[in-house]
Structures are given as C-alpha cells and as structure tokens.
Amino acid sequence: MQEVPMKSYDVIIVGAGHNGMAAAVKLSKSGRKVLLLESSSKPGGMAVSNEIFKGYNTATLPHLINHLSSKVIKELDLFDHGLEIKNKIIPSISIDQNHNHVFLNGEYGSNVEGINSEDNHSWLKLRKRLFNQANLLKRFISNTPINQENISFLGKLKFIKAGLDLRLQGKEEFQEFFRMILMCVADVLEEEIESDLLSGIVSFDSTLGIRLGPRSPTSLMGLLYRFSGEFNGQQGVQIFPVGGMEQLIKSFYASVESSGVTTLFSQTVKNFIIKDGKIDGVITKEGNEYKSRIVLSSVSPILTFLELIGTKRLDTGFIRELKSLRYHGNVSKLNLALDRIPVFEGLDENQLSSRIVYAPSIEHVEKNFNPSKYQELPTDPNFELVFPNRFDQSLAPNGAAIASIIIQNTPYNLKNGWEKSREKLQNDVLSRLESFSPGIKKSILASQFLSPQDIENSFNVPGGHWHHSELQIDRMYSLRPVFKCSNYKTPLSGLYICGSGTHPGGGINGNSGINAAKQIIKDINN
Amino acid sequence: MTQKFDAIIIGAGHNGLVSACYLQKAGLNVLVLEKNDWIGGAAVSRELTPNILYSNCSYVCSLFRPEIMRDLELPKHGLQIIGIEGGTVFTKNGDYLASYRNYHSKRREMARFSNKDSEAYERYSRDVTRQCRFIQPLLMRTAPDPASFKLKDISEIFYLIKKFNELTPNQMAETIRFWTMSISDYLDEYFENDVIKASLAVSGIIGTALGPMSPGTAYVLLHHYMGEVDGSIGSWGYARGGMGAITQALSSSFKSLGGTIITESEVTNVLVNNNSAKGVALKNGNEYYSSTIISNADVKRTFLKLVNEKNLPKKFINKVKNFKIRGSSGKVNIGLDSMPEFPAVPKGDPCLKGDIHFTDSIERMERAYDDWKNGTWSKDPFLDMMIPTTTDPTMAPPGKHFMSCFVQYCPPKVYGNDWTEANKEAFGETVVKQIEEYSPSFREKIIHMEIRTPKELENEVGLTEGNIFQGELTFDQLLFNRPIPGYAQYRSPVSGLYICGSSTHPGGGVMGAPGRNAAIEILRDLKKPTKHARSAYEVI
C-alpha cells in the first residue's frame, strides 16, 4: 500500500463499490481532487469475484448484469476500459421436474418455448404491456428523484408529462397502468397466463431479493423494475461480460485510475470528523486522517448514519426514520466448483448457457415465501442457477463447471440460528438440484455459501441485504432511503450518500453514484 | 303486472336504501325490490332464536357517514348509535390488554406492556388521524376519471392535487408511503410490543383477503378508522337494536318520503333495449319498468348474472370477471344463556363491552392467513368478537346475550370444494374451542348458534363469495379503479343502468357513501337538483 501523508481533498468517497467508483470518476472529471477509500484490499464492493477452488473463479454474489446503465457506461467509458460483452442475451429456463421445461428466449421471453399457443399469445400481449409500463418508469430511474428542493411545480412537471404521454398511447394502456402498478404479480399472471412454469419464473423474478411473495400487493413492481433495465437498447435482458463479473469491476476501476482519482485500499472509515456541525474529513481504523469538506458515502445508509455518524449527532425524527428502514436481507448465495459439466435431463449442453430458475408455480413461490415471514427457512427453496464458465471458459478448467446459485427467502434472522440451518439449507438445494441433474452432488469439489449474515460480515453491509435496504414501493424513488435524503444529501452538511440504499437502488447500474456526484458538483458551483 | 317508476333499485341493502332516499327526496318515484322477505342486506337484526336479536352479518357501526344521517334525518326515524366503551386482547399467558375510550386509561393500560409503546401511541394516533383527515373528504366525492378529458373530471383532479399540495413535503412523502405499506411494517415503525401491535393490526385485515404483512393493509386500517361516532374519528359504536336499526331507519325515512319497497321480489334480469335500461324482470314473473335501474348488488352479480351478456361489451365483461372479490371471513353468531366469564379480566370491566380478540401476535394473524391461502379456514383463527347486549339491552331479555364472532380467515371453498355440513360444523367448533380457552365454562352457556361461511353469506345476502366489501380493497380496486377503470362513476355501459353498492367508490363497510354518491350522479344525469345532499365539508 502506498504511503500517503495527511492531505486534504475536495471530495472523499467511502467505499469503492461500483457506485463509489462511478461517482469518483464523475467528480474527478469535473476537476475535483478525489480520494476513494476502500476497506477491503480490492475494488468492487459486493460485486467482487473470488477463487473458490484452484482455477475456479466466480462472482461472489451477483452473477449477471441486468441493469447496467448506458449513462454510466458512457460516463466511465467502460468499453474503452476493458468491458466487453459478447454473447449478448442470456436466455432463462423455468425447469420442470418432468423435464417439460419452459424456455424464455430473447429479451425476457420475446420468444417462449414450452407453452401452448394460447398462452404464448397472452404472454406476448402481457409482456408488451409490462415493457411499456417499465419504459414509463425508466424515465424516473436514471435521474435524481423529486426531493425537498425541487418539489415545486417544475419538479412535478415530469410526472404530468409522463402521464400525458401515457394517455396519448390510448385510454386502455392508461387505465391499465394505474390499475396494475400496485398489483400483486400473481393476480396479473392469473388474469392472463395458464402455464405454471412460466408464471412461476415470472413470480420468482418479481420477488427476488425483496421480502414479498407473488401474492403480496405491489409485487409486480419488482418485475417492472427488472424490465426497466436494458443493455444496448435491448430491454429486460441479462448479460455476462467477457472475463466475468470481475472484468466488469476491473473496467470500472480502470476508469477510476485513468481519471486521476487517488484510491486507497484497506482503509476502513471508523468515523467522520465533524467541525461546527459540518463534515471535515474521515478517520480510518488504521489510524489515518483525511480531510475534506465533502464526503460521499457509498456504504449502506444504516452504516453511514447509525455507525459512522452515530445517533448523537442527528435529530431524533431522522434517526427514527432511519431505524424504520427494513434492511435485513433475504437472499443467500451458493457457489460450487464442479469437476465436470453437469447433465440436466431435458437440456442439451448448449442450453446450460442459460439462467436456470427453479420456481415451478406461483403457489410454490408463495409457499416458499411464507416461512421467511416467521424467520424460518423454506423446505424446498426456489433458486436461480447459472454456470458462469459456460459464458466464459476461462473462469474454470476445461471440462469442469462452476455453479452459481442465488437462493431466495432465506431470512437474515433465523429462529434456529444460521449455524444449525446452513447445512440443511445447502442440502435441500443440492437434493433438489440432484433431482434435475443426477450425479451433480458427487461432482462438487468445493463450495462457498453466504447467508445474509455472512454477507453482512464479509461486505460490511448491516443486515446483509443485497440492496442495502428493502426495494419496495414505500422505499423507492423519493422515499429512498428516506425522503430527506432522496437527493443524496444528508442532514449533516457536506455529507452525501450514494449506493444501493439510495435511488434507484438494486442491481449493478451505477446511476446512484453518478446522480450523487452531479448533486455535489451542483452544490459546489452554487 | 306492470307498473312504471322513475327509478328502480335492486336490493334493499343499506346503500340501495340510501340511494333510494336521496332519489325520492329529489322528487322521483322510486321502487326498491328485495329478494328476501326482510330488508337490510348485510345490515340486519334478526330474531333467529326466540327473543334474541342477532346482528348476524355486520355487527358494529362507525363508518356510516354522519352527513347521510343528517340529510335523511335518521335519528328521527329511530337510529341511535351508542359508542363502544372498550376492547381487549387476551394473551396466551393469561393476561389481557384492555383498551378504553378514555385516551389516558388506554395509554396507562398500554404502559403495562411497554412504556415506550405507550409513548409512541401518541405519535401513532396523531399520524393516523392525519391520514384520515386527508382521505375523509374523498369519501363523499365521485372519483374523477383520470383518462377522461371532460371538464368535470379534469377540474376534480385539479381539486385533489390542490388538496394534496396543502400538505407539507414531508407529509406528502408519509402519505404516499402509508398507502403502500403493510400494517405490520407500519406498526413496527412505532411499537415494539407484540400484543400492542396485534391489537392495532386488527383494523388492517378485517374483511380483506390479505394478512397483516401484505402491503396495502395500512390503507385498509385507514378504511376502518375513517369512521366516527359523535364526531370522534375512529371510534366505533353499536346501533341500538342491532345493525338492522340502520336499514330500518333508512326504510322508514324512505317510506315517509313516499317511496315503495317490495320484498320477496328477486330480480333475475335487467331488461335492456337498444343499449338502454328499460326495467327489470322478477323470478315470480312480474316486470317493472323504468329507464333508471340501480343495482345494489356487487359488480359481478350485477353484470354477470342480472344483465344478459349480449348487452355488454366483451372487454367490459372480461374486466368484471377480473374484479377481485375474495371471501375471506366467516361469522359465528351465538345466543347465550348468561354472560360468559373471562377469568383473566376483572368482572364488569368495560373492556368486555367492546371488541374481544384472542390473537396476541402479528405472527398468529399472518399464519391464520397462510391457512386461507392454502385453501382452508384458519386453524387458529383471528376472532373479532363482540357482545352487543352488554351495551344494548334491547336485543335480548335480561341476563341473556347475543355474541357476534367475526372469523378470519374463511375461504369461499374448502380446498376448492364446496362447503359440506361437516366442514361447517368443524369451522364452528374451531371458533368455540378458541373462546373456551379463555372462558372455560363458555360452551355450557350456548343456547343457539348460527355458523355462517362465505357460502351462506352469498346465498342469503347475495354477496359474491361472501366478501363483506363487495370486492377487495386493494389499490387496483380503489378510487377511480373501483370497480373498473372507466366505470368508477356508478354508471355502466348500459345507459340508465347504475351500480350503487360497496363494489363502487369508496368501498365497503356500512358507510352509505357509495349509495349517496351514486344517487347524485343519477340526479345529474336526470338533470335534477342535488341540493339536498350536503357536501362533506358542510358537515365537517
């Protein structure tokens, strides 16, 4: 690690996750002297990769991109810094115990195989409508939300304009938007679709990462959020970069380096220096002090406010609001190193280059959700599985495979405690996997399991939530993380926040970092 | 037999009667047709066992709009609402949490469970009351159609935006949040104690097919809170003489204005000619004619059963089919020989005069909902139990009592099959068993018991799936979406055919607002004066 004397900077950014890095580049390019502090030894935050077994490299947590903002790609010149996307669209498969799998090809099922023609017709109609609605929401996703500063008529003009545009598409679309927007995904699907497998995977995708079941009102929002993601003009797609998720982070970091940001690793911010009620720098656990009148924290809001600032410095009303954030994660990750390419009944080897989802019906997904309400684990968990080395062979030895599995509905707090439950959960998932791919258990060389509690410890995210806090409608847009901070500013003068806990939240998109940087630049110029 | 009227109302439920009164008052000659040999729909008092009156469907009153009470002079026609004095939640460990009308006693009792929560209650009730104040005026206004370019709709939208803009930015944010939250999450932001949370969560789930952890239940809470008794918002009362007193007073008011009610006249068909309503045909072969027909039945029953489908656009029928009406509650009505004893509570404590609950945690409520989702009635159900005769002596002879147990959750079908007698018995037994746990000698006191599953409610009162709100109170079915986008103003694709039941804005409960709002729209169409219907603000 390079030795840096105590210095002062224009802006200090806490956390070199993708949002922290995006903000660093934006600020540095605007001519500010930026210091980026990261507690671990490498950049990437929760999007890092690791070697789970010799020669097996995989993303520790998120394993696909579905939200990377084109604005961010441009701002950071990611393509010039090593990002490369080859096999653009990754199909999804809803797997079935009787091998009658349903295949969602193209942009989130623009072409579905395995359902009857009537369903196909209804699905395409529904998909078109949902894409349309997502497009409307997309207008609000990449920009700073309406906040205390611009709540005036001008701020609301955006809504009025969106409403008018929608109305111009016709009465039907307009009415359906306002009817469906807060519906539960199960009702929407049951109105149109008969296929259990198709409904199952859509339900799963709507609720993945949040604490809702498909029958919980507002769960459709999760799906619309997913559909608002795009890549190269293709909506609702998931993609995988050449070189894996690691390469994505590398391209972020390359951009950081080339823009002249000072980055220091293994520097864990312990607290902020506050002078006259204003921020004046940070102190790290390693004993270093860095001065700056502006600090941007990309770590979770809970960590930023309740631990780094502490409750004494903030007013009670604000603390109360923060404490009401629901920040306990619900998703676990299982990474497996396999000594051979697994065989799935009903799938040929090429089809393993897909996202495979085990969510056989709405009922199944709902029943999976039920125990999580009571801090219990599901008995037959739903999961999403990809084999990253199918997209890029360099990630694992020839003829071998990595399985990257996201397990839904595994609450942070368990009545029985995670120590007693982690084995059982892994076994349940593996037995289910075995039923689809006999012999897969025997081929496991090594495994890596992260419960929400493990995620909390490994990534310093209180609650171990992938999105830092629940991404439900009551905590979206202007209400994320709380209304007072929706423009990335905080009650503490000079302190800003970005990261998944702020708008637009989850997924690797980087918008929050860019928006926060813009706000800072605007405030400095004023 | 043929006869001509200015308007015909199908169903003498409270909303039908409210509509009837307002129309008759405007000078129309109105006929109300009721299929049963009694009137009142789900707001009735019936003598199911000698000398004991049962409020065997709806059982408490609060939501009924005071504006309507005054417009129609219901007190003059015998309606009297008596405020409820208290309520209680029994806990598994033999304790109880009482609540009283007196604010300070209520908070003292809460402090027995948690000091912090007792403090928080002040904040909580202030915040919820603010939400109520915001929404209350909306109840008595027809929801604007945001897709319409009519001057009336646009000006109403601007009016609502103006109202919303009167809030501070923080209040706006809180209001939006409140509307989409689950009652469980909302309470977590204020309280720590499970029993207190459970006692407050009740209003978030009653009548809906949602659990306390489902987003949207905070709004349902509001729906139950925005009523008032004697000007005190959120309080509940008994109608003296049972819930039938409300519909009896309405009927008396209607008749005094010169209206006609004919019972035992089941309408089977709305006569339509050239896309205009012409009259109704009855099961007994009679026909009555009028160019204005108003259905008090729910939207599904009206458009899928009473109107021939060739008279309706196909798209409209599909939307009606997609309207969510989900039976989620049952009712067990019990006649008692004497007042049941609850050893946990001091004898004569006024907390037994109100709603009595045995569900002492949100988790138990939510698990009860999980059973319903699985297709059966809750094995550890949530009971909203009341003994109105502790307050109203007119319903039973001295010493005897009527007990009403509202039971959640109870599906319209059991695992997809029709209810059998055995199922029904088992369902009743589940309820009695739960009460017995807290009142050991309870079973001996029972002299008569009526078990009502959604099936009974549907067959007798005509509520589809036995849903007490004539349709779920979820966002997709509120305001301008209720019942169907584009048809939220009480009109239908058939000219002259209207709906006025709880399927329409602002929704269920014995509120009367849908009936009144529908009447006003009808009078507008007929170009009649609406002056006699006071605006919400005149009364508040």
Side-chain angles (χ1 to χ4, degrees), chain A residues 16 37 55 81 83 95 98 125 148 156 176 199 217 230 232 240 263 321 398-399 525:
Chain A
L37 295 173
H81 288 105
L83 179 64
I95 41 169
N98 303 320
K125 215 175 77 187
Q148 276 167 311
K156 285 177 199 150
E176 284 297 280
S199 300
E230 56 146 15
N232 254 347
F240 192 82
T263 313
E321 257 196 284
N398 254 345
N525 291 342

mmCIF file of all heavy atoms in Angstrom, chain A residues 16 37 55 81 83 95 98 125 148 156 176 199 217 230 232 240 263 321 398-399 525:
data_model
loop_
_atom_site.group_PDB
_atom_site.id
_atom_site.type_symbol
_atom_site.label_atom_id
_atom_site.label_comp_id
_atom_site.label_asym_id
_atom_site.label_seq_id
_atom_site.Cartn_x
_atom_site.Cartn_y
_atom_site.Cartn_z
ATOM 1 N N ALA A 16 -15.379 1.598 -2.393
ATOM 2 C CA ALA A 16 -15.113 1.507 -3.821
ATOM 3 C C ALA A 16 -15.963 0.416 -4.455
ATOM 4 O O ALA A 16 -15.477 -0.472 -5.148
ATOM 5 C CB ALA A 16 -13.634 1.270 -4.080
ATOM 6 N N LEU A 37 -11.756 5.679 -0.673
ATOM 7 C CA LEU A 37 -11.278 4.789 0.385
ATOM 8 C C LEU A 37 -12.052 3.480 0.369
ATOM 9 O O LEU A 37 -13.272 3.480 0.328
ATOM 10 C CB LEU A 37 -11.458 5.458 1.753
ATOM 11 C CG LEU A 37 -10.639 6.720 2.007
ATOM 12 C CD1 LEU A 37 -11.055 7.347 3.337
ATOM 13 C CD2 LEU A 37 -9.152 6.410 2.012
ATOM 14 N N GLY A 55 -8.303 -22.563 -9.748
ATOM 15 C CA GLY A 55 -8.700 -22.481 -11.154
ATOM 16 C C GLY A 55 -10.173 -22.186 -11.371
ATOM 17 O O GLY A 55 -10.621 -22.080 -12.497
ATOM 18 N N HIS A 81 -12.303 0.859 -21.304
ATOM 19 C CA HIS A 81 -11.508 0.414 -20.161
ATOM 20 C C HIS A 81 -11.604 -1.085 -19.926
ATOM 21 O O HIS A 81 -11.352 -1.556 -18.823
ATOM 22 C CB HIS A 81 -11.920 1.188 -18.905
ATOM 23 C CG HIS A 81 -11.465 2.616 -18.928
ATOM 24 N ND1 HIS A 81 -12.314 3.662 -19.165
ATOM 25 C CD2 HIS A 81 -10.238 3.166 -18.757
ATOM 26 C CE1 HIS A 81 -11.647 4.802 -19.139
ATOM 27 N NE2 HIS A 81 -10.375 4.530 -18.901
ATOM 28 N N LEU A 83 -14.327 -3.323 -20.752
ATOM 29 C CA LEU A 83 -15.590 -4.070 -20.709
ATOM 30 C C LEU A 83 -15.923 -4.578 -22.101
ATOM 31 O O LEU A 83 -15.855 -3.836 -23.080
ATOM 32 C CB LEU A 83 -16.727 -3.168 -20.195
ATOM 33 C CG LEU A 83 -18.102 -3.830 -20.133
ATOM 34 C CD1 LEU A 83 -18.121 -4.972 -19.127
ATOM 35 C CD2 LEU A 83 -19.191 -2.815 -19.785
ATOM 36 N N ILE A 95 -37.283 -24.553 -14.946
ATOM 37 C CA ILE A 95 -37.135 -26.009 -15.052
ATOM 38 C C ILE A 95 -38.256 -26.738 -14.340
ATOM 39 O O ILE A 95 -38.800 -26.301 -13.339
ATOM 40 C CB ILE A 95 -35.779 -26.564 -14.528
ATOM 41 C CG1 ILE A 95 -35.381 -25.857 -13.246
ATOM 42 C CG2 ILE A 95 -34.725 -26.521 -15.608
ATOM 43 C CD1 ILE A 95 -34.221 -26.543 -12.587
ATOM 44 N N ASN A 98 -40.662 -32.779 -14.476
ATOM 45 C CA ASN A 98 -40.947 -33.770 -15.522
ATOM 46 C C ASN A 98 -40.270 -33.435 -16.843
ATOM 47 O O ASN A 98 -40.645 -33.941 -17.890
ATOM 48 C CB ASN A 98 -42.457 -33.887 -15.736
ATOM 49 C CG ASN A 98 -43.164 -34.243 -14.454
ATOM 50 O OD1 ASN A 98 -42.669 -35.060 -13.674
ATOM 51 N ND2 ASN A 98 -44.291 -33.603 -14.206
ATOM 52 N N LYS A 125 -48.773 -10.464 -25.258
ATOM 53 C CA LYS A 125 -49.584 -9.278 -25.031
ATOM 54 C C LYS A 125 -49.234 -8.666 -23.668
ATOM 55 O O LYS A 125 -49.016 -7.459 -23.547
ATOM 56 C CB LYS A 125 -51.069 -9.672 -25.073
ATOM 57 C CG LYS A 125 -51.966 -8.615 -25.675
ATOM 58 C CD LYS A 125 -53.403 -9.115 -25.806
ATOM 59 C CE LYS A 125 -54.092 -9.079 -24.464
ATOM 60 N NZ LYS A 125 -55.412 -9.690 -24.434
ATOM 61 N N GLN A 148 -36.979 17.500 -1.565
ATOM 62 C CA GLN A 148 -37.412 18.719 -0.878
ATOM 63 C C GLN A 148 -37.095 19.979 -1.669
ATOM 64 O O GLN A 148 -37.799 20.965 -1.585
ATOM 65 C CB GLN A 148 -36.740 18.804 0.480
ATOM 66 C CG GLN A 148 -37.462 18.011 1.530
ATOM 67 C CD GLN A 148 -36.603 17.860 2.760
ATOM 68 O OE1 GLN A 148 -35.436 17.491 2.667
ATOM 69 N NE2 GLN A 148 -37.168 18.148 3.902
ATOM 70 N N LYS A 156 -42.765 18.532 -10.478
ATOM 71 C CA LYS A 156 -43.883 17.631 -10.756
ATOM 72 C C LYS A 156 -44.211 17.572 -12.241
ATOM 73 O O LYS A 156 -44.936 16.681 -12.684
ATOM 74 C CB LYS A 156 -45.112 18.087 -9.979
ATOM 75 C CG LYS A 156 -44.999 17.739 -8.517
ATOM 76 C CD LYS A 156 -46.174 18.266 -7.747
ATOM 77 C CE LYS A 156 -45.852 18.335 -6.273
ATOM 78 N NZ LYS A 156 -46.566 19.399 -5.596
ATOM 79 N N GLU A 176 -54.942 0.711 -17.623
ATOM 80 C CA GLU A 176 -54.291 -0.496 -17.136
ATOM 81 C C GLU A 176 -53.056 -0.167 -16.298
ATOM 82 O O GLU A 176 -52.751 -0.840 -15.332
ATOM 83 C CB GLU A 176 -53.918 -1.422 -18.306
ATOM 84 C CG GLU A 176 -55.104 -2.150 -18.870
ATOM 85 C CD GLU A 176 -55.760 -3.085 -17.864
ATOM 86 O OE1 GLU A 176 -55.256 -4.190 -17.666
ATOM 87 O OE2 GLU A 176 -56.778 -2.699 -17.254
ATOM 88 N N SER A 199 -45.534 -18.786 -15.144
ATOM 89 C CA SER A 199 -45.956 -17.934 -14.038
ATOM 90 C C SER A 199 -44.969 -18.029 -12.879
ATOM 91 O O SER A 199 -44.705 -17.048 -12.193
ATOM 92 C CB SER A 199 -47.335 -18.346 -13.532
ATOM 93 O OG SER A 199 -48.272 -18.232 -14.546
ATOM 94 N N PRO A 217 -49.534 -7.625 -2.455
ATOM 95 C CA PRO A 217 -49.740 -6.464 -3.312
ATOM 96 C C PRO A 217 -48.424 -5.715 -3.509
ATOM 97 O O PRO A 217 -47.552 -5.763 -2.643
ATOM 98 C CB PRO A 217 -50.742 -5.626 -2.515
ATOM 99 C CG PRO A 217 -51.513 -6.613 -1.716
ATOM 100 C CD PRO A 217 -50.517 -7.685 -1.360
ATOM 101 N N GLU A 230 -31.880 -2.260 -19.200
ATOM 102 C CA GLU A 230 -31.678 -2.527 -20.623
ATOM 103 C C GLU A 230 -30.179 -2.559 -20.901
ATOM 104 O O GLU A 230 -29.370 -2.097 -20.123
ATOM 105 C CB GLU A 230 -32.331 -1.432 -21.463
ATOM 106 C CG GLU A 230 -31.821 -0.049 -21.097
ATOM 107 C CD GLU A 230 -31.744 0.898 -22.281
ATOM 108 O OE1 GLU A 230 -32.328 0.593 -23.317
ATOM 109 O OE2 GLU A 230 -31.070 1.911 -22.157
ATOM 110 N N ASN A 232 -27.838 -1.839 -24.441
ATOM 111 C CA ASN A 232 -27.794 -1.581 -25.881
ATOM 112 C C ASN A 232 -29.175 -1.526 -26.506
ATOM 113 O O ASN A 232 -29.399 -2.063 -27.585
ATOM 114 C CB ASN A 232 -27.001 -2.701 -26.573
ATOM 115 C CG ASN A 232 -25.650 -2.185 -26.995
ATOM 116 O OD1 ASN A 232 -25.417 -0.973 -26.981
ATOM 117 N ND2 ASN A 232 -24.761 -3.088 -27.357
ATOM 118 N N PHE A 240 -23.646 -11.088 -19.679
ATOM 119 C CA PHE A 240 -22.473 -11.538 -18.937
ATOM 120 C C PHE A 240 -21.234 -11.019 -19.653
ATOM 121 O O PHE A 240 -21.063 -11.231 -20.848
ATOM 122 C CB PHE A 240 -22.450 -13.067 -18.888
ATOM 123 C CG PHE A 240 -21.453 -13.607 -17.913
ATOM 124 C CD1 PHE A 240 -21.773 -13.696 -16.557
ATOM 125 C CD2 PHE A 240 -20.188 -14.012 -18.328
ATOM 126 C CE1 PHE A 240 -20.863 -14.193 -15.644
ATOM 127 C CE2 PHE A 240 -19.262 -14.506 -17.412
ATOM 128 C CZ PHE A 240 -19.603 -14.599 -16.072
ATOM 129 N N THR A 263 -6.860 6.236 -4.988
ATOM 130 C CA THR A 263 -7.602 5.171 -4.317
ATOM 131 C C THR A 263 -6.711 4.522 -3.272
ATOM 132 O O THR A 263 -5.552 4.198 -3.547
ATOM 133 C CB THR A 263 -8.036 4.093 -5.323
ATOM 134 O OG1 THR A 263 -8.607 4.731 -6.451
ATOM 135 C CG2 THR A 263 -9.048 3.159 -4.703
ATOM 136 N N GLU A 321 -36.680 7.615 11.564
ATOM 137 C CA GLU A 321 -36.973 7.236 10.185
ATOM 138 C C GLU A 321 -35.977 6.209 9.672
ATOM 139 O O GLU A 321 -36.323 5.255 8.998
ATOM 140 C CB GLU A 321 -36.934 8.478 9.295
ATOM 141 C CG GLU A 321 -38.299 8.989 8.915
ATOM 142 C CD GLU A 321 -38.205 9.947 7.756
ATOM 143 O OE1 GLU A 321 -37.793 11.111 7.983
ATOM 144 O OE2 GLU A 321 -38.508 9.524 6.638
ATOM 145 N N ASN A 398 -10.973 -26.620 -18.180
ATOM 146 C CA ASN A 398 -11.691 -27.277 -19.275
ATOM 147 C C ASN A 398 -12.454 -28.494 -18.790
ATOM 148 O O ASN A 398 -11.938 -29.262 -17.986
ATOM 149 C CB ASN A 398 -10.683 -27.731 -20.343
ATOM 150 C CG ASN A 398 -10.796 -26.827 -21.536
ATOM 151 O OD1 ASN A 398 -11.781 -26.081 -21.665
ATOM 152 N ND2 ASN A 398 -9.802 -26.866 -22.416
ATOM 153 N N GLY A 399 -13.676 -28.631 -19.260
ATOM 154 C CA GLY A 399 -14.458 -29.810 -18.903
ATOM 155 C C GLY A 399 -15.051 -29.755 -17.518
ATOM 156 O O GLY A 399 -15.725 -30.678 -17.079
ATOM 157 N N ASN A 525 -20.824 24.353 -7.145
ATOM 158 C CA ASN A 525 -20.912 25.511 -8.043
ATOM 159 C C ASN A 525 -21.796 26.625 -7.487
ATOM 160 O O ASN A 525 -21.618 27.788 -7.823
ATOM 161 C CB ASN A 525 -21.438 25.073 -9.407
ATOM 162 C CG ASN A 525 -20.406 24.220 -10.121
ATOM 163 O OD1 ASN A 525 -19.218 24.257 -9.751
ATOM 164 N ND2 ASN A 525 -20.829 23.451 -11.090
#
